[in-house]
Amino acid sequence: MTEVCRKSRCYFHFTQHRAGSVAYQRPCLRLYLMFVVQLSTFEYEALQVSFMASVLMNPLISLNYKGLEEIPPSMINSPLTANVQHLHMKGNRLTELVMSSVGALKNLELLDVSFNYLESLPEEIGGLKKLKKLYAFSNRLKELPKSIEALQNLEVLGIMKNELSSLPPRVGSLTELVELNVDSNYLTHLPKELCNLNRLQELSAATNNLMTLPQDLGRIKTLVNIFVDNNPLLNWLPLSLKSKKGKINIGLNRCGIGDLPEHTVLAYQLVNIKWKESTTSTILPKEISRTMCPANIAALSLPLLHSARTRDPSNEGVEATVSLTHDAKFVIRVPTLFELTLRTYYTLLRMSKHVSGNSWTILPRNIEDLLRCPTAHCCQCAQVLFTSAIPFICQDNFDPKKPNHLFQFLGLCCSEQCFYQELASHIQ
């Protein structure tokens, strides 16, 4: 039976039910309100009736493409708001999510506010403790709220096509996250804390300005798909992914085809290897402030040259020159005292059975940020690394279907001994 509310001009489809001798009406399983005029102009009583009718038996509310500029207050004031589990509001004119609008939806599991004009998400969104899926693509988001770390049940985060220049490290605390999509933003790097997401299956960061990837991505055992297509400045993959060849899908189209801008050369540690007519410039992770080298700096080219000789025997005997972008005084053969202190303190914290919050708060903020997640693990002995490491650069094809499609891999070693051991394992 279809009825029209004359005040709100909304269409309702009701089904007759009977409980004992009492007859009543309730909406069908998937009730969609078909609004003829903009909701914000409706009279309070009519909208209250329509909202209460929709959630009586159905936890899903679809308000897609209604031209809304805000979530109707009358919907939030209803005592039945707590029953809503799915709220779809894409394709409207929302410029902000009001605190009262979000906070009342305590049992919400899915929130879709895509295709709006949101420049930020409210800090109160952290109160949606049961939220499992959050979609906010095609907005104007410039950053994520700090309270995002409170969404401990979040499984899917879709924030593609926004204006994000960085992701907060606190995203790494979303331990239930299975899918992360940050396509089409302005990201230059991804936080190393993403490697703490032990249930992550798909990471998509295509069409950004990525220059580096977290070194320990390959240590995420559940990871199946990585899409980093159309990142022209990204010319290497973490060496930890090389061992997953054939087990993981990686999209690399249009990667490594751009020239590094000058400000990048000044801000990052770079290793330049020149041989024959080829020059390879490798950007090290931004946390690596001191580049370690073997006694002979030219040894840094050995893994790359071995890869070239394996593919083409005519390269036998070819030598390479290695240069670093920073002054030689920043090149060291052994870890700094600061690096050794960080490794020791990190190990002690992990060995302790009682690591309280006070263990972190006594440290300076920059050191605390370093210790919460290592920059990498040594590709040979798995020692944690923070600010000093020896780069291990080689080439290989990742896709068996494209044997001529070579890509560069970067690993980090904790010592000269581990560097040569890793080199020996590649030669074998």
Side-chain angles (χ1 to χ4, degrees):
M1 179 175 62
T2 302
E3 296 182 1
V4 180
C5 175
R6 293 184 180 180
K7 286 187 176 183
S8 63
R9 284 176 282 181
C10 295
Y11 293 85
F12 298 93
H13 183 67
F14 288 90
T15 307
Q16 192 75 21
H17 296 270
R18 184 171 299 275
S21 60
V22 181
Y24 64 98
Q25 292 180 324
R26 67 180 180 183
C28 291
L29 184 59
R30 293 177 61 85
L31 174 66
Y32 289 86
L33 305 181
M34 303 169 61
F35 296 97
V36 180
V37 298
Q38 191 169 324
L39 276 175
S40 58
T41 66
F42 283 173
E43 298 180 20
Y44 176 86
E45 295 84 356
L47 187 54
Q48 184 75 1
V49 171
S50 64
F51 174 65
M52 292 180 67
S54 67
V55 299
L56 194 58
M57 286 298 296
N58 182 19
L60 181 150
I61 296 180
S62 179
L63 298 175
N64 295 332
Y65 305 103
K66 305 300 181 187
L68 297 175
E69 295 181 358
E70 62 178 0
I71 300 179
S74 53
M75 298 176 64
I76 303 305
N77 294 333
S78 170
L80 294 176
T81 301
N83 295 335
V84 179
Q85 295 179 2
H86 293 187
L87 177 58
H88 299 265
M89 297 195 68
K90 63 182 179 182
N92 286 289
R93 302 173 184 173
L94 302 176
T95 57
E96 63 177 348
L97 292 179
V98 182
M99 176 183 65
S100 59
S101 301
V102 177
L105 303 166
K106 296 181 180 180
N107 291 313
L108 201 64
E109 296 182 1
L110 183 150
L111 176 61
D112 189 349
V113 290
S114 304
F115 296 101
N116 280 286
Y117 302 98
L118 298 173
E119 295 186 0
S120 63
L121 296 175
E123 290 292 339
E124 290 75 18
I125 201 170
L128 303 179
K129 302 298 184 181
K130 296 185 179 181
L131 194 65
K132 294 182 178 180
K133 297 181 180 180
L134 174 58
Y135 300 105
F137 47 87
S138 293
N139 278 283
R140 300 172 179 175
L141 300 179
K142 295 178 173 58
E143 61 180 2
L144 295 180
K146 296 180 180 179
S147 61
I148 193 78
E149 62 183 345
L151 302 178
Q152 289 300 301
N153 289 308
L154 197 65
E155 298 175 357
V156 179
L157 178 59
I159 46 177
M160 63 289 269
K161 294 186 178 180
N162 279 284
E163 301 175 10
L164 299 170
S165 58
S166 64
L167 287 180
R170 57 187 68 91
V171 172
S173 63
L174 303 176
T175 54
E176 297 296 319
L177 203 63
V178 175
E179 179 181 337
L180 176 61
N181 192 318
V182 292
D183 292 347
S184 301
N185 281 282
Y186 305 131
L187 303 174
T188 58
H189 68 279
L190 298 176
K192 58 183 180 177
E193 287 78 6
L194 291 184
C195 300
N196 292 332
L197 302 177
N198 295 324
R199 297 192 178 187
L200 191 66
Q201 297 180 14
E202 180 172 314
L203 171 62
S204 187
T207 316
N208 278 280
N209 299 321
L210 292 179
M211 294 182 288
T212 65
L213 290 174
Q215 272 289 308
D216 286 345
L217 277 181
R219 296 174 66 89
I220 305 177
K221 298 180 180 180
T222 57
L223 199 57
V224 177
N225 298 312
I226 299 179
F227 302 110
V228 289
D229 306 87
N230 198 26
N231 282 284
L233 301 181
L234 181 65
N235 66 352
W236 58 262
L237 290 173
L239 189 61
S240 60
L241 289 174
K242 193 170 181 291
S243 61
K244 288 196 169 187
K245 186 176 179 179
K247 302 177 183 178
I248 190 171
N249 302 314
I250 298 186
L252 291 170
N253 293 321
R254 294 185 56 78
C255 286
I257 61 174
D259 296 327
L260 297 176
E262 184 178 353
H263 67 84
T264 299
V265 175
L266 297 175
Y268 287 78
Q269 297 276 338
L270 268 73
V271 178
N272 301 310
I273 301 177
K274 186 175 182 180
W275 55 285
K276 278 191 172 181
E277 298 179 356
S278 302
T279 301
T280 300
S281 295
T282 304
I283 302 177
L284 302 187
K286 63 183 182 65
E287 293 86 0
I288 301 298
S289 57
R290 292 294 184 94
T291 305
M292 293 168 53
C293 289
N296 181 6
I297 190 174
L300 292 178
S301 66
L302 293 179
L304 193 61
L305 289 178
H306 172 71
S307 301
R309 293 164 184 165
T310 301
R311 296 190 310 273
D312 186 358
S314 64
N315 290 320
E316 191 70 35
V318 173
E319 296 184 355
T321 58
V322 179
S323 63
L324 304 175
T325 56
H326 291 269
D327 194 278
K329 66 182 180 181
F330 291 102
V331 181
I332 53 179
R333 290 187 58 191
V334 296
T336 63
L337 181 59
F338 180 59
E339 171 73 14
L340 293 175
T341 303
L342 290 174
R343 295 181 189 179
T344 303
Y345 195 73
Y346 179 87
T347 303
L348 290 175
L349 285 176
R350 289 297 175 267
M351 291 176 58
S352 175
K353 296 182 179 179
H354 305 286
V355 180
S356 64
N358 294 331
S359 300
W360 301 104
T361 55
I362 61 175
L363 299 172
R365 181 61 183 270
N366 61 331
I367 297 180
E368 177 185 336
D369 291 341
L370 284 171
L371 286 171
R372 285 192 181 276
C373 183
T375 301
H377 286 74
C378 175
C379 56
Q380 178 62 32
C381 70
Q383 170 68 266
V384 291
L385 304 173
F386 294 95
T387 61
S388 301
I390 299 178
F392 187 95
I393 305 166
C394 62
Q395 278 186 339
D396 198 358
N397 69 299
F398 197 85
D399 189 351
K401 299 179 182 179
K402 300 177 180 179
N404 295 324
H405 186 198
L406 300 175
F407 210 73
Q408 192 168 291
F409 290 85
L410 171 66
L412 297 176
C413 298
C414 66
S415 64
E416 187 173 351
Q417 179 182 1
C418 281
F419 176 84
Y420 284 111
Q421 288 179 353
E422 184 69 18
L423 178 60
S425 66
H426 278 258
I427 293 176
Q428 292 176 356

